[in-house]
Amino acid sequence: MAPRKQLTRLKAPYLKRILIEPARVADWEKYPWNLPIFRSHDFELEFTTPITIIVGENGTGKSTLLEAIGALAGYDEAGGGKGYMPIDHSAAIDTSGAALAKTLRGHWLPKVTAGWFFRAESFYSVARYLDQAALEDPFKPPPPDFLSWSHGEGFIRFFEERCRRQGIYILDEPESALSPTRQIELLKMLRRMDQSGTAQVIMATHSPLLMACPGARLFRISRFGLDPTDFSDTDHFRMMRSFCNDPDGFLAEALYEDEA
């Protein structure tokens, strides 16, 4: 396969900053604008490194924020590449991400929006779409056949194929189908992407392994808003450290609290 033309000589990150435009918000009491990260009505997130990782509990707005960034870059909310519409989600998908995007402004230098928006819950449909599209095009090489692999192996093969290209990559909980060993493989890919200088990654994750990605900038969403944090200060790391230090004691306490 011939190498793709480089879009720019400038290094990642390409998306430098996103901020909310208060005048565009019709109702601050409505989701997603009632989330803690928008409480002050002056939300701003600056991207200073090629890899940015966002962590937080379910319901804090991680996926919605990534959907909005994806929409700013021109991606469908179900995930995929530019121009992909693998799923008819018009009557089913939550459109809060696209709605949020309409109230955000992105600052790019330059505006490189090639890449991929990866969502774990829609990977099967996207992979099936890619396999089928390749089968129907006689001028393309043999199809990637992502679905013939196990879920985790299909994930890794997909990442290896897609993430070598210059662009922006939005990854929403990619660890969902990855064993710890496969997560290390993904970490190696992220490291290569960081060192290449040609890829920007914005990722939401619950995985302490992925949070520890060298060179990444880490943000935590909590009830207080969105703040930069250190890997060792995350609830995920602290919980895993407590469990590894004393599994029996950790489980006894956790289960006792659950039953109380």
Side-chain angles (χ1 to χ4, degrees), residues 128-141:
R128 182 176 57 190
Y129 176 92
L130 292 173
D131 286 348
Q132 187 62 38
L135 283 171
E136 294 172 355
D137 188 343
F139 300 103
K140 284 189 175 182

Side-chain angles (χ1 to χ4, degrees), residues 83-87 123-134 147:
Y84 284 69
M85 182 71 174
I87 305 170
F123 175 76
Y124 179 86
S125 296
V126 172
R128 182 176 57 190
Y129 176 92
L130 292 173
D131 286 348
Q132 187 62 38
L147 297 182

Side-chain angles (χ1 to χ4, degrees), residues 143-160:
D145 198 19
F146 293 119
L147 297 182
S148 292
W149 300 74
S150 73
H151 206 178
E153 289 172 328
F155 269 35
I156 291 298
R157 189 175 183 196
F158 173 85
F159 286 133
E160 287 176 338

